[in-house]
Amino acid sequence: MKLVKKLLGENEVEAMLQRLDRLTLDEARTTAAQTLEVVYGLMQNMRVVIDGEKTYLACFLLAAEFFPRRWQCIDR
């Protein structure tokens, strides 16, 4: 590191390290944003599935109410 500082100058090395830190921070923020986007998409998909199951259950219960004989267990 001392050799690099001598060749490039201490200010330039510090500036490069600051840019590298900023880049690392930007990459971390970008990764976090992308992760949140994926999680949000998964939650939306789960909501669609759950709502679909609720709709299916509601239709089933409605059909069982209007056609009770069809949904009774048959003892053999």
Side-chain angles (χ1 to χ4, degrees), residues 17-76:
L17 290 174
Q18 287 175 355
R19 283 188 297 228
L20 184 59
D21 284 343
R22 189 173 41 233
L23 177 62
T24 303
L25 181 60
D26 288 346
E27 288 174 337
R29 287 179 178 159
T30 301
T31 301
Q34 290 173 343
T35 302
L36 288 173
E37 186 177 355
V38 168
V39 169
Y40 179 77
L42 290 173
M43 294 300 293
Q44 291 297 98
N45 289 342
M46 284 179 56
R47 183 174 297 172
V48 167
V49 170
I50 289 170
D51 288 345
E53 288 177 0
K54 287 179 185 174
T55 303
Y56 175 78
L57 180 59
C59 289
F60 176 79
L61 293 174
L62 187 61
E65 184 178 329
F66 282 107
F67 306 104
R69 290 185 53 179
R70 184 170 188 176
W71 303 104
Q72 289 176 349
C73 293
I74 300 172
D75 294 327
R76 292 187 180 179

